[in-house]
Coordinates of all heavy atoms in Angstrom, one line a residue:
P294 N -13.4 -22.5 -17.4 CA -14.7 -21.8 -17.0 C -14.5 -20.7 -16.0 O -15.2 -19.7 -16.0 CB -15.5 -23.0 -16.4 CG -14.9 -24.2 -17.1 CD -13.5 -23.9 -17.3
W295 N -13.6 -20.9 -15.0 CA -13.4 -19.9 -14.0 C -12.8 -18.6 -14.6 O -13.3 -17.5 -14.3 CB -12.5 -20.4 -12.9 CG -12.3 -19.5 -11.7 CD1 -13.1 -19.4 -10.6 CD2 -11.3 -18.4 -11.6 NE1 -12.7 -18.4 -9.8 CE2 -11.6 -17.8 -10.3 CE3 -10.3 -18.0 -12.3 CZ2 -10.8 -16.7 -9.8 CZ3 -9.5 -16.9 -11.9 CH2 -9.8 -16.3 -10.6
D296 N -11.8 -18.8 -15.4 CA -11.2 -17.6 -16.0 C -12.1 -16.9 -17.0 O -12.1 -15.7 -17.0 CB -9.9 -18.1 -16.8 CG -8.8 -18.4 -15.9 OD1 -8.2 -17.5 -15.2 OD2 -8.4 -19.6 -15.9
V297 N -13.0 -17.6 -17.7 CA -13.9 -17.0 -18.6 C -14.9 -16.1 -17.9 O -15.3 -15.0 -18.4 CB -14.6 -18.1 -19.4 CG1 -15.8 -17.5 -20.2 CG2 -13.7 -18.8 -20.3
E298 N -15.3 -16.5 -16.7 CA -16.4 -15.7 -16.1 C -15.9 -14.5 -15.3 O -16.7 -13.7 -14.8 CB -17.2 -16.6 -15.1 CG -16.4 -17.1 -13.9 CD -17.2 -18.0 -13.0 OE1 -18.3 -18.5 -13.4 OE2 -16.8 -18.2 -11.9
Q299 N -14.6 -14.3 -15.2 CA -14.0 -13.2 -14.4 C -14.2 -11.9 -15.1 O -14.3 -11.8 -16.3 CB -12.6 -13.4 -14.1 CG -12.3 -14.7 -13.3 CD -13.1 -14.8 -12.1 OE1 -13.2 -13.9 -11.2 NE2 -13.8 -16.0 -11.9
T300 N -14.3 -10.8 -14.3 CA -14.4 -9.4 -14.8 C -13.3 -8.6 -14.1 O -12.6 -9.0 -13.2 CB -15.8 -8.9 -14.4 OG1 -15.8 -8.8 -13.0 CG2 -16.9 -9.7 -14.9
F301 N -13.2 -7.3 -14.6 CA -12.3 -6.4 -14.0 C -12.5 -6.4 -12.4 O -11.5 -6.4 -11.7 CB -12.4 -5.0 -14.5 CG -12.0 -4.9 -16.0 CD1 -12.9 -4.4 -16.9 CD2 -10.7 -5.2 -16.4 CE1 -12.5 -4.3 -18.2 CE2 -10.3 -5.0 -17.7 CZ -11.2 -4.6 -18.6
E302 N -13.8 -6.3 -12.1 CA -14.1 -6.1 -10.7 C -13.7 -7.4 -9.8 O -13.2 -7.3 -8.7 CB -15.6 -5.8 -10.5 CG -16.0 -4.4 -11.0 CD -16.1 -4.4 -12.5 OE1 -16.1 -5.4 -13.2 OE2 -16.1 -3.2 -13.1
S303 N -14.0 -8.5 -10.4 CA -13.7 -9.8 -9.6 C -12.2 -10.1 -9.5 O -11.8 -10.7 -8.6 CB -14.4 -11.0 -10.3 OG -13.9 -11.2 -11.6
I304 N -11.5 -9.6 -10.5 CA -10.0 -9.9 -10.5 C -9.2 -8.8 -9.7 O -8.2 -9.1 -9.2 CB -9.5 -9.9 -12.0 CG1 -10.0 -11.2 -12.7 CG2 -8.0 -9.8 -12.0 CD1 -9.4 -12.4 -12.0
A305 N -9.8 -7.6 -9.6 CA -9.1 -6.5 -8.9 C -8.5 -6.9 -7.5 O -7.4 -6.6 -7.2 CB -10.0 -5.3 -8.8
P306 N -9.3 -7.6 -6.6 CA -8.7 -8.0 -5.3 C -7.5 -8.9 -5.5 O -6.6 -8.8 -4.6 CB -9.9 -8.8 -4.7 CG -11.1 -8.2 -5.3 CD -10.7 -8.0 -6.7
Y307 N -7.5 -9.8 -6.5 CA -6.3 -10.6 -6.7 C -5.1 -9.8 -7.1 O -4.0 -10.1 -6.7 CB -6.6 -11.7 -7.7 CG -7.7 -12.7 -7.3 CD1 -9.0 -12.5 -7.8 CD2 -7.4 -13.7 -6.4 CE1 -10.0 -13.4 -7.5 CE2 -8.5 -14.6 -6.1 CZ -9.7 -14.4 -6.6 OH -10.7 -15.3 -6.2
T308 N -5.3 -8.8 -7.9 CA -4.3 -7.9 -8.3 C -3.6 -7.2 -7.1 O -2.4 -7.2 -7.0 CB -4.8 -6.8 -9.3 OG1 -5.5 -7.5 -10.4 CG2 -3.6 -6.0 -9.9
I309 N -4.4 -6.7 -6.2 CA -3.9 -6.1 -5.0 C -3.2 -7.1 -4.2 O -2.1 -6.8 -3.6 CB -5.1 -5.4 -4.2 CG1 -5.7 -4.3 -5.0 CG2 -4.6 -4.9 -2.9 CD1 -7.0 -3.8 -4.5
E310 N -3.7 -8.3 -4.0 CA -3.1 -9.3 -3.2 C -1.7 -9.7 -3.8 O -0.8 -9.9 -3.0 CB -4.0 -10.6 -3.2 CG -3.5 -11.7 -2.3 CD -4.4 -12.9 -2.3 OE1 -5.6 -12.8 -2.6 OE2 -3.9 -14.0 -2.0
E311 N -1.6 -9.8 -5.1 CA -0.3 -10.2 -5.7 C 0.7 -9.1 -5.4 O 1.9 -9.4 -5.2 CB -0.5 -10.5 -7.2 CG -1.4 -11.6 -7.5 CD -0.9 -13.0 -7.0 OE1 0.3 -13.0 -6.5 OE2 -1.6 -14.0 -7.1
A312 N 0.3 -7.9 -5.5 CA 1.3 -6.8 -5.2 C 1.8 -6.9 -3.8 O 3.0 -6.7 -3.5 CB 0.6 -5.4 -5.4
Y313 N 0.9 -7.2 -2.8 CA 1.4 -7.4 -1.5 C 2.3 -8.6 -1.3 O 3.3 -8.6 -0.5 CB 0.2 -7.5 -0.5 CG -0.4 -6.2 -0.1 CD1 -1.7 -5.9 -0.5 CD2 0.3 -5.3 0.6 CE1 -2.3 -4.7 -0.1 CE2 -0.3 -4.1 1.0 CZ -1.6 -3.8 0.6 OH -2.1 -2.6 1.0
E314 N 2.1 -9.6 -2.1 CA 2.9 -10.8 -2.0 C 4.3 -10.5 -2.6 O 5.3 -11.1 -2.1 CB 2.2 -12.0 -2.7 CG 1.0 -12.5 -1.9 CD 0.4 -13.7 -2.5 OE1 0.9 -14.2 -3.6 OE2 -0.6 -14.2 -2.0
V315 N 4.4 -9.7 -3.6 CA 5.6 -9.2 -4.1 C 6.4 -8.5 -3.0 O 7.6 -8.8 -2.7 CB 5.5 -8.3 -5.3 CG1 6.8 -7.6 -5.6 CG2 5.0 -9.1 -6.5
A316 N 5.7 -7.6 -2.3 CA 6.4 -6.8 -1.2 C 6.8 -7.7 -0.1 O 7.9 -7.5 0.5 CB 5.4 -5.7 -0.7
D317 N 6.0 -8.8 0.2 CA 6.4 -9.7 1.3 C 7.6 -10.5 0.9 O 8.5 -10.7 1.7 CB 5.2 -10.7 1.5 CG 5.5 -11.7 2.6 OD1 5.7 -11.2 3.8 OD2 5.6 -12.9 2.3
A318 N 7.7 -10.9 -0.4 CA 8.9 -11.6 -0.8 C 10.2 -10.8 -0.7 O 11.3 -11.2 -0.3 CB 8.7 -12.2 -2.2
I319 N 10.0 -9.5 -1.1 CA 11.1 -8.5 -1.0 C 11.6 -8.4 0.5 O 12.7 -8.4 0.8 CB 10.7 -7.2 -1.5 CG1 10.6 -7.3 -3.1 CG2 11.8 -6.1 -1.2 CD1 10.0 -6.1 -3.7
H320 N 10.6 -8.2 1.4 CA 10.9 -8.1 2.8 C 11.6 -9.3 3.4 O 12.6 -9.2 4.2 CB 9.6 -7.9 3.6 CG 9.8 -8.0 5.1 ND1 10.5 -7.0 5.8 CD2 9.4 -8.9 5.9 CE1 10.5 -7.4 7.1 NE2 9.8 -8.6 7.2

Side-chain angles (χ1 to χ4, degrees):
W295 186 89
D296 286 294
V297 170
E298 70 180 12
Q299 300 310 308
T300 64
F301 292 121
E302 291 76 15
S303 66
I304 288 296
Y307 297 101
T308 307
I309 296 170
E310 180 180 340
E311 295 299 350
Y313 277 116
E314 291 183 359
V315 166
D317 180 65
I319 292 171
H320 168 70

